[in-house]
């Protein structure tokens, strides 16, 4: 019953009654009925009118309305048809008076109904919704990977919804692996370990036709190399755009070629991908014609398999952006992975919790997922509206006037930012707004704000081997930040501070990881 009621209440309008509903349920607030006769129909909702059926039944019981009149009242109140409501009021008043109900209380009941009966929900509908909600909650709780796989497949054609549910998978700590030419199905799949694998048809630019063609051919035998792929798959179905989508999404990674190599020029071709497709088309054309030739076994040797050109892999941020472009999410990592030190030491809230904090300075970080630049019609000054994203949530903000002129060069999609500001309220309103104080590249935060690094070292750990390791770390991370050491003698409860003037270091996530690798704690000053 409570699930049904909450389903009906959790909508604009009735939302305001939820705290009272909960307080009455738990006995913190007294359950009151305007008339004792109302208890039969309002007891299940703790004296609060929630359903349209309650209005109908009470109008029949209190005023003697017929079922037809009760339904007419329900419709009128639900659609806010004041003329009909006003027309039925005298009959309601008269019927209640006839049944001996005090006029003042009856007038109050009617006014209450007028105020919120338009929000009342159909209980039978709410029962269906609550039942489905219970079933899906059960499945999500007991079969999380299978449930989320089904949800992802249902929403695979809507990138924004897909992105939302993939983030939910991460929040649930479900392993989601990217697409793979030899492992993925057409749709999202889940294995016995509860691991979810991206479906090929969910790749933007691929679709079900090419995905089905890949899997049909793969069922004969796994693809051993990229040239094996273009030799065997029908290239009238799997075209250049489809191949690019596979490469960007990481579906070809297991074939031993770097993603960047596919887009590197080779011989007389604009890219290795183009060379591969040319070779594949030529190979298939020869193979088809040789089936009718006496010398078909020799013609395959006329084409030389293209070799992947030398190329360094893409930088991580570019690789991830291309990955997100075709999958809707960062799969093989996240742009913030390289900034663990900055996130730990220079931020004080996630994007999810930021909007709940009023009056305190917020220090947060995220990647610009979307930005829109414009010019205000009021004052002719530029502005930008942008969406920051971190690992689990997003944050919308605006940059205006002088702030825009100051920071506009940083406001591009894919940029990883450090943002400082505060939620304040307007002078004559309680509505909060975000007052921006600073924007800078997250990559520059450590360099700009760090003065020194203090490494805490237990006395018993210091020996020649430890000193050699620490010296090597300092030598490989030279920079401008002072290095300090706090030697801790646990037995005598003494701490000794030392300045290591010989070395200055660059305090970043790589250095911190190596410090942690020695089993040491640290403090950024």
């Amino acid at each position: 019953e409570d699930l049904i009621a909450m389903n009906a209440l959790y909508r604009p309008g009735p939302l305001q009654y939820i705290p009272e509903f909960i307080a009455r349920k738990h006995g913190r607030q007294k359950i009151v009925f305007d008339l004792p006769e109302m208890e039969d129909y309002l007891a299940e909702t703790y004296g609060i009118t929630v359903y349209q059926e309650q209005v109908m039944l009470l109008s029949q019981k209190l005023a003697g309305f017929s079922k037809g009149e009760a339904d007419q009242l329900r419709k009128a109140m639900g659609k806010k048809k004041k003329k009909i409501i006003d027309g039925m009021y005298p009959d309601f008043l008269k019927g209640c008076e006839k049944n001996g109900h005090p006029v003042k209380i009856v007038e109050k009941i009617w006014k209450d109904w007028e105020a919120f009966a338009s929000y009342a929900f159909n209980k039978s509908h709410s029962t269906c919704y609550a039942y489905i909600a219970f079933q899906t909650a059960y499945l999500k709780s007991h079969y999380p990977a299978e449930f989320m796989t089904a949800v992802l497949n249902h929403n695979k054609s809507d990138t924004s919804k897909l992105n939302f549910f993939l983030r939910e998978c991460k929040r649930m700590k479900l392993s989601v692996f990217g697409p793979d030419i030899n492992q993925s199905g057409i749709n999202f799949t889940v294995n016995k370990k509860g691991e979810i694998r991206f479906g090929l048809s969910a790749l933007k630019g691929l679709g079900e036709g090419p995905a089905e063609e890949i899997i049909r051919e793969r069922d004969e035998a796994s693809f051993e190399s990229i040239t094996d792929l273009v030799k065997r798959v029908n290239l009238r179905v799997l075209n250049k755009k489809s191949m690019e989508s596979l490469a960007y999404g990481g579906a070809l990674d297991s074939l031993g070629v770097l993603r960047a190599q596919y887009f590197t020029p080779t011989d007389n071709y604009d890219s290795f991908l183009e060379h591969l497709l040319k070779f594949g088309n030529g190979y298939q054309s020869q193979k088809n014609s040789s089936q009718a030739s006496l010398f078909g076994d020799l013609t395959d040797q006329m084409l030389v398999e293209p070799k992947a050109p030398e190329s360094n892999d893409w930088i991580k941020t570019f690789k991830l952006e291309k990955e997100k472009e075709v999958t809707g999410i960062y799969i093989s990592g996240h742009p913030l992975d390289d900034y663990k030190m900055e996130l730990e030491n220079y931020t004080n809230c996630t994007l999810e919790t930021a909007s709940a904090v009023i009056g305190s300075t917020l220090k947060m970080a995220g990647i610009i997922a979307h930005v829109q630049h414009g010019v205000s019609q009021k004052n002719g000054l530029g502005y930008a509206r942008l969406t920051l994203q971190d690992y689990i949530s997003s944050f919308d903000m605006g940059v205006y006037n002088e702030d825009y002129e100051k920071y506009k060069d940083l406001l591009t999609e894919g940029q990883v930012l450090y943002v400082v500001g505060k939620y304040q309220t307007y002078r004559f309103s309680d509505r909060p707004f975000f007052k921006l104080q600073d924007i800078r590249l997250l990559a520059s935060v450590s360099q700009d704000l760090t003065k020194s690094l203090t490494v805490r070292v237990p006395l018993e750990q210091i020996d020649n081997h430890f000193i050699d390791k620490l010296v090597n770390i300092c030598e490989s991370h030279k920079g401008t930040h002072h290095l300090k050491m706090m030697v801790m003698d646990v037995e005598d409860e003494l701490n000794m501070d030392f300045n290591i003037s010989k070395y200055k270091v660059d305090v970043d996530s790589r250095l911190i990881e190596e410090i942690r690798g020695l089993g040491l704690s640290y403090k950024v000053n």
Side-chain angles (χ1 to χ4, degrees), residues 132-227:
I132 293 169
F134 174 80
Q135 288 178 315
T136 52
Y138 178 89
L139 291 170
K140 188 176 182 181
S141 177
H142 291 84
Y143 303 94
E146 290 80 359
F147 176 80
M148 290 309 296
T149 299
V151 171
L152 290 168
N153 282 324
H154 185 69
N155 293 279
K156 67 180 182 179
S157 59
D158 187 326
T159 304
S160 62
K161 286 185 179 178
L162 190 63
N163 198 3
F164 173 82
F165 288 117
L166 285 166
R167 289 206 304 271
E168 175 67 0
C169 287
K170 285 197 172 185
R171 188 198 64 78
M172 294 167 68
K173 293 182 171 54
L174 293 173
S175 296
V176 179
F177 293 106
D180 182 87
I181 199 76
N182 281 321
Q183 299 292 328
S184 293
I186 290 178
N187 298 316
F188 286 90
T189 53
V190 59
N191 62 22
K192 291 179 180 178
K193 296 179 183 178
E195 298 165 335
I196 300 173
R197 171 72 71 175
F198 225 93
L200 292 178
S201 66
L203 282 167
K204 191 176 180 181
L206 193 69
E208 293 201 7
E212 287 172 353
E213 171 60 20
I214 289 168
I215 291 167
R216 182 194 63 76
E217 184 59 41
R218 190 184 72 198
D219 286 344
E220 301 293 324
S222 295
F223 299 112
E224 295 179 2
S225 66
I226 188 62
T227 49

Side-chain angles (χ1 to χ4, degrees), residues 72-115:
Q72 188 181 2
L73 177 63
R74 173 193 66 81
K75 287 179 182 177
M77 287 186 164
K79 296 180 180 179
K80 297 185 179 180
K81 294 188 175 180
K82 190 167 182 355
K83 190 174 180 180
I84 299 175
I85 295 170
D86 290 345
M88 298 188 77
Y89 177 56
D91 291 334
F92 179 77
L93 204 60
K94 187 177 178 182
C96 287
E97 193 175 355
K98 184 179 177 181
N99 288 327
H101 302 308
V103 175
K104 285 191 176 181
I105 294 176
V106 170
E107 287 175 344
K108 177 190 177 297
I109 292 169
W110 187 265
K111 282 183 180 178
D112 287 344
W113 284 1
E114 282 186 314

Side-chain angles (χ1 to χ4, degrees), residues 429-446:
S429 170
D430 292 332
R431 185 165 62 90
F433 70 98
F434 183 70
K435 175 64 176 174
L436 179 65
Q437 295 175 3
D438 186 30
I439 295 178
R440 61 182 74 197
L441 295 177
L442 187 57
S444 71
V445 166
S446 177

Side-chain angles (χ1 to χ4, degrees), residues 368-373 384-387 411-413:
I368 299 181
H370 175 72
V371 63
Q372 178 186 356
H373 293 266
R385 295 191 183 96
L386 58 122
T387 300
L411 307 181
T412 57
E413 288 185 12

Side-chain angles (χ1 to χ4, degrees), residues 37 61 137 184 228 234 258 312 316 357 407 421 487:
E37 291 83 357
K61 184 172 185 178
S184 293
D228 183 37
N234 185 342
L258 298 174
N312 294 322
K316 187 175 182 179
V357 181
Y407 301 120
V487 179

